Amino acid sequence: MLDLTGKNALVTGIANNRSIAWGIAQQLHKAGANLGITYLSDEKGKMEKKVAELVEPLNPTLFLPCNVQNDEEIKTAFETIQDKWGSLDILIHCLAFAKKDDLSGDFSQTSREGFRTALEVSTYSLVQLAGAAKPLMTAGGSIVTLTYLGSIRAIPNYNVMGVAKAGLEASVRYLASELGSANIRVNAISAGPIRTLASSAVGGILDMIHHVEEVAPLRRTVTQTEVGNAAAFLCSDLASGITGQVLYVDAGYEIMGM
Ligand code: 0WE
């Protein structure tokens, strides 16, 4: 049975009840994990309040601000984990951002600044958080990140995010290679398109979802819960032999030729 009791799990990337990270947090909780939740801090504390209310039923024992563009905040977050938990078993990375202008139009017109931002927030953040988690994963661990098919295919408008996800998947392999000797596994889930806050801000996402509903072997899109179940599996001892992989949770869409 899938059992995560006694495991300390840090979940990043919950923005609202449609976040894939929210689906993952719920399934980790159901499997018995002890949760720590991070949120993107803003000046007014609006996000903090919204996310705090949402996650309350999961009884998180840590609730921390973690903006990956702020080194101080990351340092403080992991010091708090060390103080309050002593060790970490699971890290869930569900963070991505590109400027809106860089998610449409000509990829060749991506600015240096836009390219840097996308790769800093969406790619480097995994390396950074894995590096911070490593000394806390004293009994081994599991790191799971989210990626998308746009890393290996040219998906219209995904543009610089595709490059960021390609870098993310390569980072998964290099991290898995390094951290394997500490029994820390690192994997990615490549989720099919889902209506979330991030994807809803993208023009044409509904057309993409309808296309998946016609073409994917299962003739539907996937849910946050299905991604959450795959994440719970990858974090569990049932996946003890799996590291460095990209697991497609996409209703089979990736295998299709059109
Ligand atoms: O990785 C993603 C979303 C990433 C994302 C979305 C936004 C929208 C709002 C990153 N940064 C931003 N910045 C914003 O200002 N997905 C896999 C969902 C997604 O995004 C797309 C997609 C799909 C699918 C963008 C273009 C085409 C398809």
Side-chain angles (χ1 to χ4, degrees):
M1 257 298 287
L2 206 157
D3 179 20
L4 300 177
T5 52
K7 293 198 193 282
N8 295 327
L10 189 71
V11 179
T12 66
I14 299 178
N16 62 26
N17 66 351
R18 298 223 295 226
S19 297
I20 297 176
W22 170 237
I24 296 174
Q26 288 177 96
Q27 297 317 115
L28 297 183
H29 171 75
K30 226 174 127 183
N34 175 38
L35 293 184
I37 305 291
T38 75
Y39 59 92
L40 180 59
S41 48
D42 58 29
E43 293 103 66
K44 291 182 183 163
K46 265 183 83 177
M47 226 12 190
E48 174 175 5
K49 190 163 174 287
K50 211 171 90 178
V51 178
E53 283 173 10
L54 177 67
V55 302
E56 209 228 4
L58 306 187
N59 306 121
T61 55
L62 285 177
F63 185 69
L64 306 163
C66 186
N67 174 351
V68 292
Q69 291 185 293
N70 181 336
D71 286 335
E72 256 325 289
E73 236 176 57
I74 295 179
K75 190 164 168 276
T76 306
F78 281 85
E79 281 169 4
T80 307
I81 295 166
Q82 171 80 274
D83 286 356
K84 298 277 162 69
W85 284 356
S87 69
L88 182 65
D89 303 289
I90 293 166
L91 172 65
I92 306 292
H93 174 273
C94 307
L95 307 171
F97 179 75
K99 293 176 186 177
K100 218 178 165 202
D101 289 352
D102 292 325
L103 292 174
S104 65
D106 291 340
F107 173 62
S108 67
Q109 299 308 303
T110 307
S111 66
R112 184 190 302 266
E113 175 61 15
F115 193 100
R116 194 194 58 74
T117 299
L119 272 91
E120 180 187 350
V121 178
S122 315
T123 310
Y124 179 67
S125 63
L126 175 69
V127 180
Q128 190 181 21
L129 294 184
K134 180 181 178 180
L136 293 181
M137 290 185 158
T138 46
S142 174
I143 300 175
V144 174
T145 186
L146 290 179
T147 186
Y148 177 60
L149 185 62
S151 62
I152 59 161
R153 307 266 178 78
I155 306 271
N157 299 320
Y158 201 60
N159 294 5
V160 72
M161 273 307 304
V163 177
K165 292 301 194 187
L168 182 76
E169 291 174 21
S171 299
V172 164
R173 291 185 284 272
Y174 280 93
L175 289 168
S177 167
E178 174 192 334
L179 300 175
S181 57
N183 197 29
I184 300 169
R185 298 179 296 101
V186 188
N187 294 287
I189 293 173
S190 188
I194 297 179
R195 255 179 270 181
T196 65
L197 181 64
S199 72
S200 300
V202 169
I205 190 75
L206 277 180
D207 292 336
M208 288 192 56
I209 286 172
H210 290 137
H211 177 68
V212 168
E213 288 169 350
E214 283 179 5
V215 171
L218 298 181
R219 300 289 192 274
R220 61 176 181 82
T221 53
V222 294
T223 64
Q224 289 88 336
T225 303
E226 289 176 310
V227 177
N229 282 330
F233 161 69
L234 286 174
C235 293
S236 76
D237 294 342
L238 298 178
S240 57
I242 303 175
T243 194
Q245 293 300 309
V246 177
L247 177 60
Y248 281 80
V249 180
D250 67 345
Y253 182 78
E254 183 267 341
I255 67 167
M256 300 303 291
M258 68 162 286

